[in-house]
Amino acid sequence: MNEQLTLTNEWDKTFPKSEKVNHSKVTFHNRYGITLAADMYTPKIAKGQLPAIAVCGPFGAVKEQAAGLYAQTMAERGFLTIAFDPSYTGESGGTPRYMASPDINTEDFMAAVDFLSVQDNVDPEKIGIIGICGWGGMALNAAALDTRVKATVASTMYDMTRVNANGYFDSEDSEEARYEKRKALCAQRIADYRGGSYALGGGVVDPLPEDAPFFVKDYYDYYKTDRGYHPRSLNSNGGWNVTGCQSFMNMPILQYSQEIRNAVLIIHGEKAHSCYFSRDAFAKLTGDNKELLIIPGAVHTDLYDKVDVIPFDRLEAFFNDYLN
């Protein structure tokens, strides 16, 4: 738990710095002994104990991108927020690099709640979380485990276990397809072990093929252009350990999401290719404090960074309803 991190001091976000909030770097640790790096945003006019929100995502992204934009914007609206890098990613610790785990990454959210709960300027009874894209599913999984989380937002969410097991749009949802995928991954493990390093995969294809489907172009437009590129983001600059997501195939993260008692808001764009994840996740939820919000005309990455599309007014009202 004493892992020393090297943190960047200069402002290196993909969005402009707000003059309405104070920004600082903080660290905290999870129960696996990994030290996580985060940006903390505090309203300049803050007094007393504040409601707090932890933000993470998308999958393969870093806190300097969409998560930081959400966190800073919500801090402008009166919440103490942190945007954190998950284990093995960005400025956070953990080796080998570029790994992912449904268990550890869910724990990352819970560790963020641990950290917020003991801050003198946070009300521990008023903590929420926001997960974006692949971390939308992780946020719901954390909410199903962590009774301290009073309100959860999943924005343009992905279910990373489902997409790894079934492929995009469930196009590989068969025993035979999964067997061939497992076989290829296990062969890669032998090659990695023999070679002494882990092969990287995933990420955003570059150069972009002319016949790439729209959702691939959508990712490219965000991660590979000035709009959202960041050198520490796995999607901007390479990919993650190709066998590092293998366990996602066998571990459905939304197994008990119907037992989430606290408030949930799921957001997705009308034209987002990921909308079936949000729709199906929402269908499992129970209780009258759950809401599915569809943004007309929006595609997947619109909810990463387009402040005129992201429904921040609705997010503010949602968290005010359930954290105050």
Side-chain angles (χ1 to χ4, degrees):
M1 295 183 183
N2 297 314
E3 187 175 13
Q4 296 298 311
L5 304 182
T6 301
L7 303 181
T8 303
N9 291 319
E10 70 269 11
W11 184 265
D12 62 346
K13 322 301 183 193
T14 61
F15 51 91
K17 188 175 183 179
S18 171
E19 297 303 319
K20 298 179 181 179
V21 305
N22 293 318
H23 165 262
S24 61
K25 288 287 186 77
V26 298
T27 61
F28 57 95
H29 60 265
N30 66 20
R31 291 299 180 94
Y32 290 92
I34 298 171
T35 302
L36 303 179
D39 287 297
M40 178 180 285
Y41 300 92
T42 308
K44 286 187 175 180
I45 60 172
K47 293 182 180 180
Q49 289 189 314
L50 300 175
I53 304 170
V55 191
C56 194
F59 190 89
V62 289
K63 63 188 181 303
E64 288 75 19
Q65 296 169 303
L69 173 64
Y70 274 68
Q72 180 176 259
T73 305
M74 296 309 294
E76 290 179 330
R77 293 163 181 253
F79 302 88
L80 183 147
T81 65
I82 58 170
F84 66 90
D85 286 330
S87 296
Y88 311 108
T89 304
E91 293 186 306
S92 286
T95 55
R97 305 302 292 166
Y98 313 137
M99 286 285 289
S101 161
D103 188 13
I104 295 175
N105 297 139
T106 298
E107 162 64 20
D108 289 341
F109 259 123
M110 299 180 72
V113 176
D114 294 340
F115 170 78
L116 290 173
S117 296
V118 300
Q119 302 308 304
D120 291 340
N121 55 348
V122 169
D123 185 334
E125 299 300 319
K126 298 179 179 180
I127 295 176
I129 57 177
I130 298 174
I132 306 164
C133 192
W135 258 254
M138 299 294 183
L140 289 180
N141 200 43
L145 285 168
D146 198 327
T147 59
R148 300 168 300 173
V149 174
K150 298 302 188 293
T152 301
V153 169
S155 181
T156 197
M157 72 160 282
Y158 253 67
D159 178 344
M160 294 305 298
T161 56
R162 180 174 173 180
V163 76
N164 275 275
N166 298 352
Y168 283 100
F169 310 109
D170 295 330
S171 60
E172 300 169 358
D173 186 13
S174 71
E175 181 179 344
E176 186 61 29
R178 278 185 286 275
Y179 178 80
E180 292 301 322
K181 190 181 299 185
R182 293 176 182 126
K183 185 177 178 181
L185 289 170
C186 288
Q188 185 63 53
R189 291 177 69 101
I190 294 174
D192 289 352
Y193 196 86
R194 181 176 288 119
S197 63
Y198 297 118
L200 299 182
V204 177
V205 62
D206 191 16
L208 183 69
E210 291 186 6
D211 60 348
F214 174 76
F215 76 93
V216 175
K217 295 178 180 178
D218 188 28
Y219 286 133
Y220 187 93
D221 180 55
Y222 179 74
Y223 284 109
K224 295 291 187 175
T225 70
D226 289 343
R227 178 181 162 199
Y229 176 85
H230 196 281
R232 287 194 293 274
S233 167
L234 309 184
N235 290 324
S236 292
N237 190 24
W240 48 85
N241 181 334
V242 72
T243 59
C245 296
Q246 195 167 3
S247 64
F248 280 85
M249 294 179 65
N250 273 15
M251 299 182 185
I253 56 175
L254 303 182
Q255 186 72 21
Y256 295 104
S257 57
Q258 73 276 9
E259 297 182 7
I260 298 173
R261 295 188 181 185
N262 293 315
V264 174
L265 172 62
I266 297 179
I267 306 167
H268 77 254
E270 178 188 22
K271 296 182 179 180
H273 70 275
S274 61
C275 63
Y276 66 103
F277 292 122
S278 298
R279 180 193 65 233
D280 292 354
F282 180 74
K284 289 189 65 177
L285 301 177
T286 58
D288 58 6
N289 56 354
K290 312 298 191 291
E291 179 183 352
L292 176 65
L293 178 62
I294 300 172
I295 309 301
V299 300
H300 186 79
T301 64
D302 285 348
L303 292 174
Y304 285 7
D305 68 331
K306 294 190 176 180
V307 295
D308 57 337
V309 176
I310 301 169
F312 282 119
D313 287 345
R314 182 68 195 99
L315 267 65
E316 179 182 0
F318 172 76
F319 282 117
N320 277 332
D321 284 344
Y322 293 104
L323 298 186
N324 285 314

